Amino acid sequence: MLRTIRLFSLFLALLVGGVWAYAWVTRAPGEGLAEAFAGRLGMLFGGQQAPIPSAGGIQLPQGTSLGGPFSLTDQTGRAVTERDFAGGWMLIYFGYTYCPDVCPTELGTMAAAVDALGPAGEAVVPVFISVDPGRDTPAHLADYVSRFHPRMQALTGTPEQVADVARRYRVYYAKVQRPEMTDYLMDHTSFIYLVGPDSKVRTLFRPDMTPEAIAAAVAAQIGARTARPGSAG
Ligand code: NI
């Protein structure tokens, strides 16, 4: 009897620990650990429908919808909306061209992830959205993104248009003026978003993920196989 109780306690501890770890790994940005834990526990016991697997990215909490409509200007000066990209896949990064370090690194990662997808990567458009429309003109953006990927699109807009798309993607950004610097910096969140053919965010990737890991997750989402060196075709 004692042995049964011990085994049951062990089982319970492992179960709670497992759910806790799962909540830790899958919680969304801004979601508290306790909140995430309660949500995952509810999924386990409450019979809630599990969200779509994130396939390696960050799981969006159930009922969360990111992305959707936007109205911006591309690097050629053309007005574009989400409908111009609908039906295909996008990897989106929000940042600004004057960013000294994080943005160039992330855009390099995003471009490398698209290339790591091989032929399947042709279905994915890498997109850079500026959170600094005051300095990031279309001409300036055209020059900037061409250094990262030949198919990379760069979008900017009026301050209101940028604020609107940032709100839909829950991107935080703010101007930072340091007394010792003549130019301002932009403080901003740093995630790579995978957006599906319906213009909605499927999953997002943390900045420390490798291009290969992102490519594998994207491939799983679009149902394509990642091209491996040496494989036929
Ligand atoms: Ni940056």
Side-chain angles (χ1 to χ4, degrees):
M1 182 63 191
L2 195 61
R3 189 183 153 79
T4 311
I5 291 169
R6 271 198 196 134
L7 274 175
F8 184 71
S9 304
L10 181 67
F11 168 75
L12 214 61
L14 284 175
L15 183 72
V16 170
V19 174
W20 190 268
Y22 178 66
W24 169 259
V25 171
T26 61
R27 77 196 162 125
E31 190 184 21
L33 184 57
E35 192 188 334
F37 178 67
R40 306 308 178 272
L41 210 59
M43 238 157 65
L44 195 62
F45 294 109
Q48 268 186 53
Q49 203 194 349
I52 305 161
S54 59
I58 297 168
Q59 184 91 58
L60 294 178
Q62 200 181 17
T64 306
S65 175
L66 295 187
F70 60 75
S71 187
L72 295 164
T73 303
D74 75 7
Q75 74 268 38
T76 68
R78 189 175 65 111
V80 291
T81 73
E82 81 291 348
R83 289 188 297 277
D84 293 295
F85 299 92
W89 294 79
M90 284 189 278
L91 278 170
I92 301 183
Y93 185 76
F94 289 82
Y96 68 115
T97 66
Y98 288 81
C99 183
D101 41 31
V102 180
C103 291
T105 307
E106 286 313 290
L107 289 175
T109 299
M110 191 164 84
V114 170
D115 288 340
L117 277 159
E122 282 158 33
V124 182
V125 181
V127 179
F128 177 58
I129 300 182
S130 173
V131 294
D132 186 15
R135 289 184 296 194
D136 286 341
T137 59
H140 188 66
L141 283 166
D143 175 54
Y144 186 73
V145 292
S146 68
R147 296 182 223 162
F148 292 98
H149 198 277
R151 289 193 297 109
M152 192 177 285
Q153 299 288 304
L155 308 179
T156 184
T158 64
E160 293 75 22
Q161 287 174 325
V162 169
D164 184 62
V165 68
R167 188 176 50 79
R168 290 179 189 277
Y169 282 81
R170 295 203 192 157
V171 171
Y172 161 81
Y173 66 100
K175 225 179 242 191
V176 180
Q177 181 73 66
R178 298 221 176 97
E180 72 277 13
M181 296 176 80
T182 47
D183 283 334
Y184 62 87
L185 297 172
M186 296 298 294
D187 211 4
H188 64 96
T189 43
S190 185
F191 287 103
I192 295 171
Y193 296 80
L194 176 66
V195 178
D198 57 356
S199 310
K200 295 287 185 184
V201 174
R202 296 300 172 87
T203 187
L204 51 161
F205 306 109
R206 290 188 199 280
D208 55 358
M209 278 181 78
T210 64
E212 292 72 27
I214 293 172
V218 171
Q221 287 279 347
I222 66 180
R225 275 180 54 233
T226 310
R228 285 171 210 288
S231 70

